[in-house]
Amino acid sequence: MRTVSIKLDNIQSVELARQVDDAEFLDIAATWSFWDQPPAPSIPRTVELPKSLSQRTALVIQGVRRCGKSTLMTQLIGRYRLKRRDCLFANFEDPRLAGSLRFETLEQLTRAFEAARPTGTLTVFLDEIQWVEGWERWLRTRLERPGRFQFVVSGSNAHLLSGELSTVLTGRHITIELFPFDFTEFLRLHAEATVTDHLHRGGFPEPIASDAGDSLLRQYFLDILQRDVRERTGARSSFALRQIVQMVFESAGSELSLRRISAASGVAVETVSAYLDACEQAYLLFACPWFAYSERKRAVRNRKYYPVDTALRRVAVTRAGRDLGKALECATFIELKKRHRDVFYWRANGDTGEVDFVVQAGAGPTPVQVTVDGATERHWSALEAFYEAFPHATEPLIVTLASFPGILAQLEDGALERRSAGTVPNATTTP
């Protein structure tokens, strides 16, 4: 009897320890959840979401650090008319969870929440999930055996998310990408702002609402490099990494070869390539390849690169690189990138100029020219050469400071997809 008593005492002790751990996890979650009060008011985000959440499919939100992913997650409570008491938020950058970044924590946390909410559908928001080891396989198991839970997860690093998502979670996730504020969202905070204001201040939510915006942006730049790029690549020198990214930011919109960057930075070509790939995975910048239907032909041409945000670029480059036309070009690229998986540029052999961007929309490729005041002879010459090479391309899109807001509206309502094929309009035609 005595032996049995000791065993029972041990079982009760283990059970008690488990309950204490559950309570601690729920206490941490309570600081991020909204069980007692609603989320703070925030600017509604312009992003396409599924009509409803599902217990068999996870919603995945990806984007650059500090672009508003956590805020969007809180907005989903209202968008999907969820009960706050049935929503649990966990942020895995919380230092209190630093020693618990394992899939067992996810299991324990959800079980504890389920025990505390014995009825109804429960929604679990897992923020910065990429830090939790084995989360993809754990989530796959949960989705394959659905119960009361529906899941929303977010992360800053596209590779850590999509690398496993493409295999482990095939058919079990819907991914949306979130970017800093566009001009329409910017106006919701600064109603009298101009396009120039937006290009100068960018779209990161906190900096555009703060008097210390540039200081915050500089810290964002360093944090992304250190936490999302350097740790990913194992770069020995943060200085060399920062130098390469600043060089790319400075040359935004210009063709740039890896060998040129290598020569200027003293870093091997293969390493430069790995750094830039990691920057893309962190949503810090994006490559813009040369347009051709042949992948082989694309590969032999240099790429252009664009930053995720105009103000982030501004604080990282020299004053000589702070050109209004370049900022407009960068902003236009991001707006196209949001709506088209691939955005290209095009230049013919010879001195016929360059088509800033080409996107595949509807009936064929659509050329896009960006200019502050209006298209010049150089822009039209490049378009004429483009139509000679691609006679079935659709009508061009001309983006200026004045037309930029209207272009955004066209992109939002899908007008670009419906543009008909045609010839280049003359310079006096309003596109």
Side-chain angles (χ1 to χ4, degrees):
M1 293 293 295
R2 183 177 180 184
T3 302
V4 173
S5 176
I6 291 174
K7 288 183 177 179
L8 288 175
D9 288 344
N10 287 339
I11 291 173
Q12 290 172 350
S13 297
V14 171
E15 181 67 17
L16 180 60
R18 186 189 65 79
Q19 291 175 354
V20 171
D21 287 342
D22 287 354
E24 184 177 358
F25 278 129
L26 287 179
D27 184 60
I28 294 173
T31 63
W32 296 101
S33 302
F34 304 93
W35 298 332
D36 299 320
Q37 59 183 7
S42 57
I43 303 298
R45 299 308 307 268
T46 305
V47 60
E48 186 174 350
L49 293 166
K51 293 182 179 179
S52 62
L53 298 178
S54 169
Q55 295 173 359
R56 300 187 66 87
T57 307
L59 179 62
V60 179
I61 304 172
Q62 295 179 194
V64 69
R65 182 179 294 273
R66 308 304 295 174
C67 73
K69 298 185 298 298
S70 300
T71 299
L72 176 60
M73 292 174 86
T74 67
Q75 292 176 2
L76 298 185
I77 297 176
R79 288 207 188 188
Y80 292 120
R81 299 183 179 180
L82 305 173
K83 297 178 181 179
R84 296 200 313 272
R85 297 290 294 174
D86 291 336
C87 296
L88 178 143
F89 285 76
N91 186 322
F92 290 99
E93 290 194 330
D94 189 318
R96 293 172 294 178
L97 294 174
S100 305
L101 299 177
R102 303 176 300 275
F103 74 88
E104 291 90 348
T105 297
L106 300 174
E107 183 68 16
Q108 186 173 351
L109 185 59
T110 51
R111 286 184 182 276
F113 188 50
E114 187 172 28
R117 304 286 191 274
T119 61
T121 299
L122 304 177
T123 306
V124 176
F125 297 84
L126 304 173
D127 201 7
E128 300 297 349
I129 189 66
Q130 75 271 7
W131 301 116
V132 179
E133 183 180 357
W135 73 270
E136 300 96 338
R137 296 182 186 278
W138 174 85
L139 184 56
R140 173 79 187 196
T141 301
R142 279 289 190 166
L143 295 172
E144 287 184 339
R145 298 179 180 178
R148 300 170 54 202
F149 288 101
Q150 48 194 17
F151 293 94
V152 179
V153 302
S154 82
S156 299
N157 190 304
H159 179 80
L160 290 178
L161 281 163
S162 60
E164 284 292 321
L165 283 174
S166 62
T167 53
V168 179
L169 288 180
T170 299
R172 294 295 186 191
H173 72 284
I174 297 174
T175 299
I176 64 170
E177 293 181 314
L178 190 67
F179 291 80
F181 284 179
D182 63 21
F183 182 56
T184 301
E185 293 167 325
F186 186 86
L187 288 177
R188 293 172 186 162
L189 190 62
H190 300 288
E192 303 301 321
T194 65
V195 173
T196 302
D197 295 331
H198 173 51
L199 297 179
H200 180 80
R201 301 184 67 175
F204 279 96
E206 290 187 35
I208 64 175
S210 170
D211 292 335
D214 281 7
S215 297
L216 287 172
L217 287 168
R218 292 188 185 96
Q219 190 59 54
Y220 288 1
F221 182 73
L222 295 176
D223 286 347
I224 295 168
L225 287 179
Q226 180 64 34
R227 303 185 65 183
D228 295 329
V229 180
R230 188 182 180 191
E231 290 181 7
R232 167 66 187 156
T233 60
R236 289 179 293 178
S237 169
S238 59
F239 174 78
L241 176 61
R242 185 171 69 251
Q243 183 184 28
I244 289 171
V245 174
Q246 287 176 319
M247 186 185 311
V248 171
F249 273 20
E250 189 88 32
S251 302
S254 300
E255 295 179 48
L256 204 56
S257 73
L258 297 181
R259 292 189 180 281
R260 175 186 167 191
I261 301 173
S262 172
S265 63
V267 176
V269 172
E270 295 78 9
T271 304
V272 171
S273 178
Y275 285 177
L276 293 180
D277 284 346
C279 287
E280 282 203 76
Q281 292 156 13
Y283 288 86
L284 179 60
L285 53 79
F286 303 95
C288 180
W290 182 73
F291 179 71
Y293 290 117
S294 167
E295 184 65 34
R296 181 183 60 81
K297 291 181 179 180
R298 292 179 195 171
V300 299
R301 297 290 292 260
N302 292 330
R303 296 182 170 192
K304 299 197 296 184
Y305 292 90
Y306 291 93
V308 70
D309 182 75
T310 54
L312 195 67
R313 174 181 181 269
R314 176 177 57 79
V315 300
V317 303
T318 63
R319 288 189 175 276
R322 300 177 188 179
D323 176 75
L324 182 59
K326 191 63 65 179
L328 181 62
E329 184 178 339
C330 292
T332 301
F333 172 85
I334 291 299
E335 294 308 319
L336 293 171
K337 183 70 175 176
K338 288 179 184 179
R339 298 159 179 86
H340 299 272
R341 180 176 180 180
D342 298 309
V343 182
F344 306 92
Y345 78 96
W346 186 83
R347 179 191 296 274
N349 295 324
D351 189 22
T352 57
E354 175 181 289
V355 174
D356 292 322
F357 304 117
V358 179
V359 293
Q360 292 276 28
T366 297
V368 182
Q369 293 288 45
V370 183
T371 169
V372 172
D373 298 316
T376 64
E377 183 60 34
R378 175 177 62 85
H379 297 101
W380 298 116
S381 295
L383 286 171
E384 288 174 0
F386 180 80
Y387 281 103
E388 288 180 7
F390 305 98
H392 299 296
T394 64
E395 294 182 6
L397 198 65
I398 309 298
V399 182
T400 67
L401 273 180
S403 71
F404 184 72
I407 295 299
L408 291 186
Q410 287 188 38
L411 295 175
E412 287 298 337
D413 69 12
L416 186 57
E417 297 289 342
R418 301 191 297 272
R419 295 171 71 86
S420 60
T423 57
V424 185
N426 61 55
T428 60
T429 302
T430 301

